[in-house]
Amino acid sequence: DDDHDDDDDQVSVVGDDDHDDDDDSSTSNSSDDDSSDDDDDDDDSGDGTDHCQCQVVVLIASRQSLSIHKRIRMDHLPHFTPLVATHPSTYLNKIVLGGYDSQTRQVAMVLLNIRSGKMVHQFSCLQDAHAQITTLSQSPAVDTIAVGTNQGMVHLVNLKHDKKLFSLEHKSKRGNQPVGITSVSFRTDSSALQYATAPMAVGRQDGTITIWDLTPPEDARMGRTILCEIPHAHSPGGIAQLQFMPQEPLLLSIGTQSNAIVTHIFDNPDHSGRILRQRRGHTAPPRVIRYLHPGAGAGGGILANASDGTDAAACQILSSGGPDRTLRVFSTARSVKDKEFGQGRGLVKKAKKLGLEEGTTELLLPPLTSLVTCEARNRDWGDLVTIHEDHAFAYVWSSRRGAQSGPVLRQNNWNVSAMKVPPPSHAHSTSVTISACGNFCLVGSRGGRIYKYNLQSGIARGSYPRQDKEESPKKGKKFTPGHVGQAMKALDKSKKQSSRLANQDRMEMDAEQRNLQAQRLKKKLEEASHLGSAVTGLAVDAVNKTVISVGSDGKLILWNLSTHLPHKKSPYMLPAPATKLTLVRDSDLAAIALNDYSILIFDTALQSVIRRFGIKGSPTVHQGPISDLAFSPDGRSLYTASMDSTLRVWDVPTDSCVDWLRFKTPPTSITVSPTGEFLATSHTGNVGLNVWSDKSFYETVYTDGEPPTEPWRMDEPTPLSEDWEQEEKTRPAAATKPSSKKPQHIVEEPEELPVAKEKGLVTLSGLPPSHWKNLFSLELVKERNKPTEAPKKPPSAPFFLQWRAGEAVAEETAAEEKNEESKGDAEKDEWAAAWSDDDEDDGDRDKEEPTAKASKRDFDDFATESLLKKKRKIAHARSHLASLLHNHRASESQDTPKYKPVTDYVSTLGPSGIDVALSTLCNGQHDLEDGLPLLRMAGEWLLEELESRERYEAVNAYLHRFLHIHGSVIAGIEESGVSAATDDDATVLENERTKLCQILHELRASQWSASNALRSKMQRTTCLLRHFSRMV
């Protein structure tokens, strides 16, 4: 009891008074009572089972599997509801459970032994009413944890003495309401110790991170201070987890809904943090994704291709998050190029000024519905235009700057200010496209009119069809004196006017014809327009001559880009209303998605429909609305995504469906990379983007067969551990059966080794080049990987809690006191029974002591006797390769090679493993008695492989490394002979030396023969190729 009182004095309560008046003896008694209650509950497990609300499940997790190890029912606490758990440092097999009591509505916390299933202690130091424990975190100090609640309180509790040291309160700035705590983490680097601070990070439900200094203040009446706050670190939602990196001033944070992971660094003298690195994604499923045109990221005109090794910086995907109102770019090659496009300066300050809880989200543009890019003039002005939901304006962006850059595209009579009358609803944008020259942007509206804008200035340049004020005749050109052409036209006009009186009747007839022609033209213009219906698709051909538009009225209209007049054959009536349009400018083919789930291919040069996919009644029809279309870069393949969770690939030249894919969730948007190698998809309910590789780039695909009858089920990308788990389940039971023997080296044979068609032909191993190439320069690799300096001891963690250091005690004295305490505690202290995890092993441990003492005496006797005997030889460690050579040399089978398993084993090793395996065969001249037979067997193995001429390049690399390591030993044997302790040993070594020399001569002859054969074949092939190349 005196020792316990000393421990109590060492813990100082700072900040709040200690309301726990119970001493340690009462705590022990209460724990004993709890333990006895546990025993009663274990005996009468059937009583009170229906009232149990708590169950602890212990799982065993690995990279391959996840299994349930034990279930612990908390029948003795029927009203306890656990929410979080943590494992205190140095507490073996024990966890702290935090939650609340459903009857008293107070916080509750217990200490549980997961091995015995018994409750060690129920803490009574926390009495927060109407609160729940939401997080538990271990502090750098032993026996001390931080407890966070949903009422904004953070308590530091000493587990050993069941005492609350102090508390910290958190409230929101608006309304002064408590804010729930979600995570707590402690900083342990030496830089904080230099500034005499003990930082603790607290994550809150409003997304704010608060950094506290836990150093006790000089004035006891003053509380702890706040070093800094990071408001809206994760928005929307709150903080999910905080973690200070060990021995580093780095704070890692993730959000509940922000889909972001952020690393803050605290290296400023004022202890404030800044963002070091971050990875952010969409907080809502993206609606539209498009590959950024090649050249925007690489400086212009560079096609990123994974096969030719060019820079892949241009492989970037533009993605709009829909409800989160953001526009982001994701790089498939370098994650550092991921970023969010800026929507204006000063949004953060404006949000703070207006007091917006959601941050800048309410100030962003409406959700994006469509976007289009063009790289023709991306160095001069904006190259990206977006339109938004229920919004009439179009916005110009710059992919180089990563922000909105340029004018807002609108009509002159449309008000920009939200305080004035907004544009009419029929003017809301529904489709957008940019001309091939990059100078003009066309925006389709809900009312059927198409507006034309200049991208550089944002000035409106008319509409399709032309309005009345646009149809006024243009003023004639001014007469230029001395111009012969204008003079001749004026003379002809005067002659016609002089003879007009004679042809009065003819003039009247001409007037009637002109009136009829004007009426027909007006009627034609009324028919060739989408007025009254939404424009669902727009495109401009490659020569800036024709504009293609489709609408919900089922019309396809071709317009003249410059005159704004429809083509004489327009409109083309479609079988059903159109929903999507995409154009490949290299071939001027337009793909149109219809409302009946079919697709049309329209040739703008021939002005006719040339293909129709997915007609009703055919086996290749989509069963849902088509969500997006995409052409391959060469225009030969068309990708169509549907809301029936399928994606079809159509071959345009052969008019056939060549692939049919099915996903777990419907794809909402698709895009093809500029090289055609990759396909990116976005899906309903998924905030991520999936990138798929086209197999036709790696294998031959025949498109002249029947269409697929069943879709390929495409699983979404999963972590590697889940794939390994599936492979583990598919293995046979014999392979997964546990073995009691000592684990041996697993030799996995390479899959489908190349087999020579005729005996004597050279075959390669099929192994990666790094497996055998690095053996020739292994010394250089070792020299480069050598550390520049010895590792340094890390600085100690800050011990920020108040404590009083004791006297220094020697290790021997501490050991004696420990033995005396253990003898006394075993007789009188029942408290240790709940803490002990080795109750069942005490008897076995007592039985093993005499054996251990006897073995020690035997060892001493043996050591004494060994001094009188002859000194034994040194035993050298051997690799697994030596045992394989011994085992397989005894094989007498003539049908199969003896040493093939040896080669299979070596092929599974890396360069450094091969070097170690070969070097341990013989350790020098002093190891010839055991090493010389191993060198001879290794020579037999290499000779057998060289004569078979299989795995030619790998075996030659093994031979080179073998001679490089043991060449000096072999040469020393031939020069000085061998020496042994007895004549019999000398005879054996001499025989081994003779056999080894004979094997080396055979190795030289075999390698020379195979090399000559290969060199002659290569020479003959080179001559034939040179001869045939001259014939062409």
Side-chain angles (χ1 to χ4, degrees):
D1 293 340
D2 296 339
D3 296 339
H4 293 174
D5 294 339
D6 293 341
D7 293 338
D8 290 343
D9 295 336
Q10 291 180 4
V11 179
S12 59
V13 182
V14 181
D16 291 336
D17 295 335
D18 183 13
H19 301 289
D20 190 2
D21 299 332
D22 298 335
D23 56 2
D24 293 334
S25 59
S26 62
T27 304
S28 303
N29 295 333
S30 62
S31 302
D32 295 340
D33 295 340
D34 294 337
S35 302
S36 61
D37 294 341
D38 295 340
D39 298 336
D40 297 339
D41 293 340
D42 293 339
D43 297 337
D44 302 331
S45 59
D47 298 337
T49 304
D50 298 337
H51 302 286
C52 179
Q53 299 181 3
C54 173
Q55 188 180 40
V56 179
V57 181
V58 182
L59 303 175
I60 298 178
S62 65
R63 301 186 68 179
Q64 291 81 15
S65 63
L66 181 67
S67 60
I68 297 178
H69 175 63
K70 182 188 295 185
R71 295 180 182 269
I72 305 174
R73 296 182 61 86
M74 307 289 288
D75 296 331
H76 45 277
L77 295 175
H79 303 290
F80 176 61
T81 303
L83 298 177
V84 290
T86 187
H87 170 59
S89 179
T90 71
Y91 282 56
L92 183 63
N93 294 330
K94 298 176 182 64
I95 61 172
V96 176
L97 299 177
Y100 67 97
D101 193 320
S102 59
Q103 185 177 14
T104 61
R105 297 296 177 181
Q106 292 183 353
V107 297
M109 191 168 64
V110 298
L111 183 65
L112 180 68
N113 189 318
I114 60 174
R115 181 173 181 179
S116 62
K118 298 180 181 180
M119 185 187 71
V120 179
H121 182 66
Q122 183 176 1
F123 297 93
S124 59
C125 60
L126 300 179
Q127 302 291 337
D128 294 3
H130 303 286
Q132 302 175 5
I133 295 179
T134 56
T135 182
L136 299 172
S137 179
Q138 172 68 46
S139 70
V142 182
D143 302 328
T144 304
I145 65 171
V147 181
T149 68
N150 62 342
Q151 295 298 322
M153 300 299 297
V154 176
H155 308 288
L156 266 77
V157 177
N158 187 288
L159 298 177
K160 186 175 182 179
H161 302 281
D162 192 3
K163 290 186 179 180
K164 180 173 65 175
L165 304 181
F166 56 87
S167 301
L168 305 173
E169 188 177 8
H170 302 78
K171 292 185 179 181
S172 62
K173 293 184 177 180
R174 296 186 61 186
N176 200 23
Q177 297 294 328
V179 181
I181 306 301
T182 58
S183 182
V184 177
S185 182
F186 295 86
R187 182 174 164 187
T188 59
D189 64 292
S190 59
S191 60
L193 192 61
Q194 294 176 358
Y195 288 102
T197 59
M200 179 186 70
V202 178
R204 311 189 327 194
Q205 290 182 351
D206 58 356
T208 301
I209 301 176
T210 304
I211 310 297
W212 289 86
D213 183 10
L214 300 185
T215 304
E218 296 180 358
D219 189 356
R221 295 173 297 177
M222 302 294 293
R224 267 69 178 177
T225 59
I226 295 179
L227 295 178
C228 67
E229 279 193 351
I230 307 176
H232 302 293
H234 290 273
S235 179
I239 305 297
Q241 184 66 34
L242 293 177
Q243 183 63 52
F244 269 109
M245 303 302 292
Q247 307 296 329
E248 294 288 342
L250 302 177
L251 177 63
L252 195 67
S253 64
I254 58 176
T256 56
Q257 303 177 16
S258 61
N259 192 21
I261 177 170
V262 183
T263 302
H264 291 84
I265 183 171
F266 297 86
D267 56 354
N268 296 326
D270 58 350
H271 309 292
S272 62
R274 59 182 177 87
I275 296 178
L276 179 64
R277 296 182 184 89
Q278 61 178 339
R279 292 291 303 275
R280 293 185 179 271
H282 290 294
T283 59
R287 292 183 177 180
V288 182
I289 60 173
R290 292 291 181 267
Y291 261 98
L292 189 63
H293 51 75
I302 297 180
L303 285 176
N305 194 327
S307 61
D308 58 8
T310 55
D311 185 15
C315 289
Q316 298 178 357
I317 303 176
L318 287 169
S319 175
S320 64
D324 68 355
R325 302 185 178 187
T326 59
L327 178 63
R328 298 182 179 274
V329 59
F330 298 96
S331 175
T332 58
R334 300 180 61 190
S335 59
V336 295
K337 290 185 172 292
D338 299 352
K339 60 183 176 182
E340 178 184 354
F341 277 53
Q343 299 190 19
R345 297 181 178 178
L347 292 181
V348 177
K349 293 183 179 179
K350 191 173 182 181
K352 290 181 179 180
K353 184 178 180 180
L354 298 176
L356 301 178
E357 296 183 357
E358 296 294 333
T360 60
T361 304
E362 300 181 14
L363 301 178
L364 301 180
L365 295 174
L368 189 145
T369 57
S370 182
L371 59 89
V372 63
T373 62
C374 180
E375 64 173 336
R377 304 298 296 272
N378 66 325
R379 292 180 177 273
D380 301 325
W381 49 75
D383 56 349
L384 170 64
V385 179
T386 61
I387 58 175
H388 302 265
E389 182 179 354
D390 297 332
H391 204 63
F393 303 157
Y395 295 87
V396 183
W397 310 70
S398 173
S399 61
R400 293 170 59 86
R401 295 179 53 189
Q404 184 180 344
S405 174
V408 177
L409 306 182
R410 64 182 184 90
Q411 296 295 310
N412 297 328
N413 57 344
W414 291 352
N415 296 321
V416 180
S417 176
M419 304 298 294
K420 298 182 180 180
V421 179
S425 59
H426 62 80
H428 291 171
S429 303
T430 56
S431 57
V432 63
T433 188
I434 299 178
S435 61
C437 62
N439 294 319
F440 300 102
C441 175
L442 283 76
V443 180
S445 64
R446 187 178 299 174
R449 192 170 295 277
I450 303 171
Y451 299 101
K452 181 180 176 183
Y453 301 97
N454 185 282
L455 271 182
Q456 182 182 11
S457 61
I459 300 176
R461 297 300 186 184
S463 63
Y464 303 84
R466 295 191 305 185
Q467 299 181 9
D468 296 338
K469 59 182 180 180
E470 299 175 20
E471 296 174 355
S472 58
K474 297 182 180 179
K475 296 182 180 180
K477 295 182 179 180
K478 295 182 179 180
F479 183 79
T480 303
H483 196 284
V484 179
Q486 292 182 359
M488 294 299 295
K489 289 182 179 180
L491 182 61
D492 293 341
K493 187 176 181 180
S494 61
K495 290 182 179 179
K496 291 180 181 180
Q497 290 178 355
S498 61
S499 60
R500 187 171 298 176
L501 296 176
N503 299 325
Q504 188 69 27
D505 296 338
R506 187 174 180 179
M507 292 177 60
E508 293 178 359
M509 294 177 60
D510 293 342
E512 293 179 1
Q513 292 180 359
R514 286 194 297 269
N515 291 335
L516 292 175
Q517 186 177 2
Q519 292 178 2
R520 287 196 299 268
L521 179 60
K522 186 176 181 179
K523 185 178 181 180
K524 179 71 174 179
L525 291 176
E526 292 177 356
E527 293 178 356
S529 67
H530 302 288
L531 297 178
S533 301
V535 180
T536 56
L538 281 174
V540 181
D541 65 351
V543 294
N544 272 0
K545 187 176 181 181
T546 306
V547 178
I548 306 101
S549 66
V550 293
S552 58
D553 54 359
K555 295 180 182 179
L556 186 149
I557 305 176
L558 302 180
W559 306 85
N560 189 293
L561 180 64
S562 57
T563 64
H564 298 195
L565 295 177
H567 193 270
K568 58 182 179 180
K569 293 184 179 180
S570 297
Y572 297 88
M573 298 305 298
L574 302 175
T579 58
K580 297 284 182 180
L581 170 68
T582 184
L583 175 74
V584 53
R585 285 175 176 168
D586 291 344
S587 57
D588 278 341
L589 296 181
I592 306 167
L594 303 182
N595 204 14
D596 60 354
Y597 313 154
S598 62
I599 306 99
L600 293 180
I601 303 296
F602 185 83
D603 192 337
T604 57
L606 301 177
Q607 298 180 2
S608 62
V609 176
I610 59 174
R611 294 285 187 273
R612 186 174 182 183
F613 301 125
I615 305 175
K616 284 187 177 181
S618 64
T620 58
V621 64
H622 282 293
Q623 301 298 325
I626 297 175
S627 57
D628 204 358
L629 304 168
F631 268 109
S632 61
D634 56 2
R636 293 182 58 89
S637 300
L638 174 66
Y639 301 83
T640 59
S642 175
M643 296 305 292
D644 60 357
S645 301
T646 63
L647 185 145
R648 290 184 180 270
V649 183
W650 311 87
D651 188 69
V652 177
T654 60
D655 191 11
S656 60
C657 178
V658 296
D659 209 351
W660 186 13
L661 313 177
R662 180 176 293 278
F663 303 95
K664 293 182 180 179
T665 55
T668 56
S669 183
I670 59 176
T671 180
V672 184
S673 65
T675 58
E677 295 176 84
F678 305 104
L679 172 71
T681 61
S682 63
H683 298 265
T684 303
N686 190 354
V687 297
L689 306 181
N690 299 332
V691 181
W692 312 89
S693 180
D694 191 350
K695 277 190 174 182
S696 63
F697 279 79
Y698 317 111
E699 62 184 27
T700 304
V701 178
Y702 299 97
T703 59
D704 54 351
E706 295 294 331
T709 56
E710 294 183 359
W712 289 94
R713 298 190 177 275
M714 307 297 292
D715 295 331
E716 295 180 358
T718 55
L720 293 178
S721 59
E722 297 185 14
D723 294 341
W724 294 341
E725 183 177 357
Q726 292 298 118
E727 294 175 3
E728 188 72 20
K729 291 181 179 179
T730 56
R731 292 180 182 175
T736 58
K737 184 178 180 180
S739 176
S740 60
K741 297 181 180 180
K742 185 178 179 180
Q744 301 292 334
H745 292 271
I746 300 175
V747 180
E748 297 181 359
E749 295 186 359
E751 299 180 359
E752 299 182 2
L753 286 174
V755 180
K757 295 183 178 180
E758 296 180 5
K759 188 176 181 180
L761 295 181
V762 174
T763 60
L764 301 180
S765 62
L767 297 172
S770 59
H771 172 81
W772 54 273
K773 278 187 176 180
N774 289 341
L775 291 175
F776 298 102
S777 57
L778 201 57
E779 281 71 20
L780 180 60
V781 174
K782 291 179 180 179
E783 185 67 23
R784 290 179 177 177
N785 294 338
K786 186 180 297 183
T788 56
E789 59 182 4
K792 298 180 180 179
K793 182 180 178 181
S796 59
F799 194 85
F800 55 86
L801 295 179
Q802 292 296 307
W803 63 288
R804 187 175 63 208
E807 296 179 358
V809 183
E811 296 182 0
E812 298 179 357
T813 307
E816 294 176 358
E817 293 178 358
K818 185 176 181 181
N819 294 334
E820 294 177 359
E821 291 178 1
S822 61
K823 294 179 181 179
D825 294 340
E827 299 176 356
K828 63 181 181 179
D829 192 8
E830 297 180 358
W831 165 256
W835 285 81
S836 176
D837 296 314
D838 301 326
D839 298 338
E840 301 176 359
D841 300 336
D842 293 340
D844 298 339
R845 192 177 301 169
D846 295 339
K847 295 178 182 178
E848 292 176 359
E849 290 180 0
T851 306
K853 294 179 180 178
S855 62
K856 184 177 181 181
R857 287 195 299 269
D858 294 342
F859 177 76
D860 295 338
D861 295 341
F862 176 78
T864 305
E865 293 176 0
S866 62
L867 295 176
L868 303 176
K869 295 182 179 181
K870 182 180 178 181
K871 185 179 179 181
R872 301 179 61 184
K873 64 178 182 179
I874 300 175
H876 296 280
R878 308 294 180 189
S879 64
H880 184 60
L881 176 62
S883 61
L884 285 177
L885 291 173
H886 271 295
N887 297 337
H888 295 286
R889 182 182 178 276
S891 175
E892 298 180 357
S893 176
Q894 302 296 334
D895 299 335
T896 59
K898 295 187 298 183
Y899 294 104
K900 185 176 182 299
V902 178
T903 312
D904 295 339
Y905 166 72
V906 176
S907 63
T908 61
L909 301 177
S912 58
I914 296 173
D915 179 67
V916 172
L918 293 176
S919 60
T920 54
L921 294 178
C922 182
N923 294 278
Q925 296 288 345
H926 61 280
D927 191 27
L928 292 179
E929 185 175 351
D930 295 333
L932 192 57
L934 291 176
L935 293 181
R936 190 251 310 159
M937 286 184 282
E940 292 178 355
W941 159 55
L942 294 172
L943 178 61
E944 179 184 289
E945 293 298 327
L946 281 178
E947 290 178 348
S948 66
R949 299 187 179 180
E950 295 180 355
R951 315 181 194 189
Y952 186 75
E953 83 286 10
V955 173
N956 276 273
Y958 303 156
L959 177 59
H960 172 272
R961 194 62 194 173
F962 173 76
L963 296 177
H964 179 80
I965 296 173
H966 302 291
S968 59
V969 177
I970 297 173
I973 295 174
E974 294 182 353
E975 292 177 359
S976 60
V978 294
S979 60
T982 61
D983 296 338
D984 294 338
D985 294 340
T987 305
V988 173
L989 293 178
E990 183 64 26
N991 294 335
E992 292 290 344
R993 186 190 71 82
T994 305
K995 293 180 181 179
L996 179 59
C997 294
Q998 182 180 358
I999 290 172
L1000 292 177
H1001 289 296
E1002 294 178 1
L1003 273 173
R1004 180 179 181 181
S1006 179
Q1007 188 186 32
W1008 182 260
S1009 174
S1011 178
N1012 266 348
L1014 181 62
R1015 188 180 293 108
S1016 61
K1017 293 290 184 182
M1018 294 297 295
Q1019 182 67 22
R1020 182 179 179 184
T1021 304
T1022 305
C1023 293
L1024 289 175
L1025 288 175
R1026 187 177 301 171
H1027 174 69
F1028 291 145
S1029 62
R1030 292 174 180 175
M1031 295 175 59
V1032 177

